[in-house]
Amino acid sequence: DTAVSQTPKYLVTQMGNDKSIKCEQNLGHDTMYWYKQDSKKFLKIMFSYNNKELIINETVPNRFSPKSPDKAHLNLHINSLELGDSAVYFCASSTPGQSETQYFGPGTRLLVL
Amino acid sequence: AQSVTQLGSHVSVSEGALVLLRCNYSSSVPPYLFWYVQYPNQGLQLLLKYTTGATLVKGINGFEAEFKKSETSFHLTKPSAHMSDAAEYFCALNTGGFKTIFGAGTRLFVKA
């Protein structure tokens, strides 16, 4: 059973395009996150939703828009893709109050040409 | 403000040798501390965590870490490295809220 899943696993696209990444968790967690990992492996939080409500919105261009239709899903839509958006995007989930352990998805490798 | 510093972006050990990955933190309140491991082309997975109580924490795959408040450290060790330990390791901190702060990562190389 996959705990946190993401689709697609790989995404290759042209500059200026719009793309979406989907995330689903079956752990019953209340909180979901999007992280960006750059080529140097640095992990940066982008967004977090708790019970479908946005609670963390780091300094991220407004071309990035998260959407949480329900507690188990958190999607990321990116408009007007730029070369610098190339990275690995990880979804994660956790339940606050349980030592904040995070469970990560396998990642979506985005390459913008 | 909280922060996590991992000393050494790359560590290389021989198979069978001691693994020591260093992590120092800064926090104004008692932290939860974590070590996560990332194998190539995979997501992060939890190795071990410290919340409260016993300061020596044992994790999966023979790893352990010791919380030293006086030194603000949470170094990760394993007595004998195995080839399969080669991966990226992240130290992380949380103070009970929604945001976890990750260190920059340490890449562990294991030589045969």
Side-chain angles (χ1 to χ4, degrees):
Chain A
D1 280 349
T2 303
V4 182
S5 59
Q6 295 179 229
T7 53
K9 191 169 182 179
Y10 298 97
L11 192 49
V12 181
T13 187
Q14 300 287 329
M15 276 176 54
N17 284 351
D18 303 338
K19 291 293 178 186
S20 291
I21 306 171
K22 296 187 175 183
C23 178
E24 177 181 3
Q25 55 97 2
N26 62 7
L27 297 168
H29 288 164
D30 299 319
T31 308
M32 296 184 72
Y33 308 80
W34 278 112
Y35 287 89
K36 179 181 180 181
Q37 187 176 48
D38 62 24
S39 58
K40 294 185 179 178
K41 301 294 185 182
F42 186 72
L43 202 63
K44 179 183 174 183
I45 189 167
M46 301 173 69
F47 302 103
S48 177
Y49 272 75
N50 183 57
N51 285 320
K52 302 195 301 176
E53 185 177 337
L54 181 65
I55 52 169
I56 295 177
N57 186 352
E58 293 292 290
T59 309
V60 175
N62 57 15
R63 299 182 294 104
F64 290 78
S65 53
K67 279 192 173 57
S68 180
D70 56 57
K71 266 181 26 171
H73 296 85
L74 180 61
N75 304 323
L76 183 65
H77 187 76
I78 315 170
N79 288 325
S80 303
L81 277 155
E82 300 178 356
L83 294 177
D85 298 332
S86 295
V88 182
Y89 292 85
F90 287 101
C91 178
S93 71
S94 71
T95 294
Q98 293 186 8
S99 305
E100 328 315 329
T101 299
Q102 303 215 349
Y103 296 81
F104 284 79
T108 295
R109 284 144 188 83
L110 172 64
L111 178 60
V112 182
L113 302 174
Chain B
Q2 293 100 13
S3 67
V4 176
T5 303
Q6 291 184 238
L7 301 171
S9 58
H10 297 86
V11 170
S12 182
V13 300
S14 298
E15 194 172 21
L18 171 73
V19 175
L20 171 60
L21 304 182
R22 299 175 190 272
C23 173
N24 287 91
Y25 70 91
S26 173
S27 177
S28 56
V29 299
Y32 297 147
L33 294 164
F34 307 82
W35 277 99
Y36 288 86
V37 60
Q38 183 181 25
Y39 298 105
N41 297 316
Q42 294 185 27
L44 281 70
Q45 55 183 279
L46 183 70
L47 261 185
L48 51 80
K49 65 182 178 185
Y50 168 79
T51 54
T52 57
T55 56
L56 183 62
V57 181
K58 294 187 185 300
I60 61 171
N61 301 337
F63 283 93
E64 61 183 38
E66 187 169 10
F67 170 64
K68 291 187 176 181
K69 185 178 177 181
S70 60
E71 298 177 10
T72 60
S73 69
F74 191 56
H75 301 332
L76 181 70
T77 60
K78 181 174 181 178
S80 176
H82 193 271
M83 296 296 286
S84 60
D85 295 326
E88 191 87 22
Y89 291 80
F90 293 91
C91 183
L93 175 152
N94 185 289
T95 54
F98 292 105
K99 190 171 180 180
T100 295
I101 298 178
F102 287 84
T106 297
R107 182 69 185 270
L108 177 65
F109 296 92
V110 182
K111 299 175 290 187

